[in-house]
Amino acid sequence: MGLLSFFNREVAMDLGTANSIVIYNDQVVIDEPSIVAVDRNNNKVIAVGKRAQMMDGKTDNKNIETIRPLRGGVIADFEMAQHLIRELIGMTNVNRSFLPPSLRMVICIPSGITNVEERAVRESAEQAGAKEIRMIHEPMAAAIGIGIDVLQPEGHMVVDIGGGTAEIAVISLGGIVCNNSIRVAGDVFNDNVVEYMKKQHNMIIGVRTAEQVKIAVGAAVSELGDDEAPEEYRTLGRDLLTGLPKEVSVNYKEIAHALDRSIAQIETAILDTLANTPPELAADIYKTGIYLAGGGALLRGLDRRVSSKTKLQVHIAEDPLRAVARGTGIALKNFNKFSFLIR
């Protein structure tokens, strides 16, 4: 067993639109933004992850370009996705040995992915050095990461709101009975904040700043208790009229208003999925409730808003940002148990 483990390495990867997480030896070893910085002069990758993110929006466009290879949960730039996966694997040190080991990867993918998009993920991982690649759907991985026994004949609803997609799925007996995948998630939330600041405050801000605003004062409801209401956030940007640097303080009520329409789309997708759920599983969900995972689950008051809309209990996963990655790692570790869930 020891000799086999020497020549074989297993890596679980949550290849996300906003962040990519790699699990090796049952531990999160890499958690980096899914972004690549490229030197335009020679098309050479000069940075990935946090280092590349620091350059985003602050580079000389003539020489350095920052690229996000994934959009809407799928690969938008095949070549850059290869570089991203290769660099992430390199950071884990799994290939640093006299005889490079055979690398097996389990990568989670959106439930609504097309065959062409799935093939792009697989080929990118192969080009990055993986010998065997398996796929698991994000809602299933999230359910496993939350701690749900997905093999039992009991229905559970999981809502995973990531950077590119919101995945809604009803899971029972190790399968996704019905699901809905919409491309309204963290990236769209950021765009909502950018547009709101432009219209309401005549100020232009970048996507990175919008992300910081969302984290600092993001909310799904306009009324929060004193104990959970965040302080106003000082936002820096450029005045649309004068072109000069400008500072504006925004509060959670404003951001809740900015995000309202997008969150309503996610609510509609949840209601549509519930409407298509078989009656017996709907009865189970009435008892078990809805589980929220992904970065979007951290929006203040989102659980209460979804609960009010569906009249169901809503639970936020422990460490929702890593629930999908954690579930992918568990599926990899217990490969024989979950082999039929992995494509």
Side-chain angles (χ1 to χ4, degrees):
M1 184 68 181
L3 184 62
L4 288 175
S5 64
F6 179 80
F7 287 107
N8 293 278
R9 297 289 188 271
E10 296 181 335
V11 170
M13 180 178 290
D14 175 11
L15 191 63
T17 303
N19 290 282
S20 292
I21 301 174
V22 178
I23 293 181
Y24 177 57
N25 284 340
D26 301 331
Q27 294 184 344
V28 174
V29 292
I30 303 295
D31 187 350
E32 296 277 340
S34 301
I35 187 167
V36 179
V38 181
D39 187 333
R40 289 190 175 202
N41 295 321
N42 52 23
N43 206 33
K44 182 179 178 181
V45 175
I46 58 177
V48 298
K50 294 185 180 71
R51 288 183 56 229
Q53 187 182 52
M54 291 173 64
M55 303 177 186
D56 189 28
K58 298 184 178 181
T59 62
D60 181 352
N61 291 333
K62 295 180 181 178
N63 298 321
I64 299 175
E65 181 183 12
T66 54
I67 300 170
R68 293 180 61 184
L70 292 102
R71 291 285 179 183
V74 297
I75 291 178
D77 189 317
F78 184 77
E79 183 180 356
M80 289 302 109
Q82 291 179 26
H83 285 295
L84 176 64
I85 296 172
R86 185 181 293 113
E87 291 295 326
L88 291 175
I89 293 173
M91 292 178 188
T92 66
N93 297 327
V94 297
N95 287 330
R96 293 188 181 179
S97 61
F98 179 69
L99 293 174
S102 176
L103 182 62
R104 178 163 72 174
M105 293 183 66
V106 174
I107 305 175
C108 60
I109 55 176
S111 59
I113 196 171
T114 66
N115 290 333
V116 173
E117 292 166 341
E118 181 179 334
R119 189 160 59 248
V121 175
R122 191 179 297 276
E123 290 178 359
S124 293
E126 288 174 349
Q127 292 295 324
K131 303 301 181 185
E132 182 182 355
I133 301 102
R134 299 293 181 91
M135 309 285 184
I136 184 170
H137 284 136
E138 285 181 11
M140 186 64 72
I144 295 171
I146 289 169
I148 296 171
D149 189 347
V150 298
L151 304 181
Q152 292 297 313
E154 188 175 28
H156 297 276
M157 172 172 272
V158 175
V159 179
D160 173 36
I161 307 173
T165 60
E167 305 276 333
I168 304 103
V170 175
I171 293 168
S172 178
L173 283 171
I176 296 177
V177 180
C178 55
N179 70 287
N180 202 341
S181 178
I182 62 172
R183 298 190 178 182
V184 178
D187 285 350
V188 174
F189 294 163
N190 293 340
D191 293 340
N192 293 157
V193 174
V194 170
E195 190 66 23
Y196 177 84
M197 296 301 293
K198 183 178 180 180
K199 287 184 176 179
Q200 297 298 320
H201 296 287
N202 289 322
M203 187 169 83
I204 299 175
I205 62 173
V207 174
R208 279 189 63 201
T209 300
E211 173 86 13
Q212 293 165 359
V213 172
K214 182 181 69 179
I215 293 171
V217 290
V221 294
S222 57
E223 294 297 332
L224 292 173
D226 293 338
D227 57 333
E228 59 178 337
E231 295 182 0
E232 289 190 349
Y233 184 75
R234 295 166 57 191
T235 308
L236 302 175
R238 189 179 80 233
D239 191 288
L240 186 62
L241 301 177
T242 66
L244 298 175
K246 180 179 179 180
E247 177 184 301
V248 171
S249 292
V250 294
N251 57 51
Y252 77 87
K253 293 185 178 183
E254 292 182 87
I255 304 306
H257 176 72
L259 303 181
D260 181 68
R261 186 175 298 177
S262 294
I263 295 173
Q265 290 180 265
I266 295 175
E267 288 177 327
T268 300
I270 293 172
L271 293 174
D272 289 344
T273 307
L274 286 169
N276 292 321
T277 301
E280 294 296 335
L281 295 181
D284 290 338
I285 294 170
Y286 183 83
K287 293 183 291 184
T288 59
I290 297 173
Y291 294 86
L292 297 181
L298 296 174
L299 273 179
R300 298 166 182 86
L302 180 62
D303 54 338
R304 294 203 304 276
R305 176 164 172 170
V306 173
S307 179
S308 175
K309 192 74 173 180
T310 61
K311 312 304 180 191
L312 297 170
Q313 294 182 20
V314 177
H315 317 280
I316 299 176
E318 181 181 352
D319 191 9
L321 281 168
R322 293 184 173 182
V324 171
R326 192 164 56 244
T328 307
I330 293 171
L332 176 62
K333 183 180 179 181
N334 302 278
F335 192 83
N336 292 334
K337 179 181 178 181
F338 295 111
S339 59
F340 70 98
L341 302 179
I342 305 174
R343 301 156 64 112

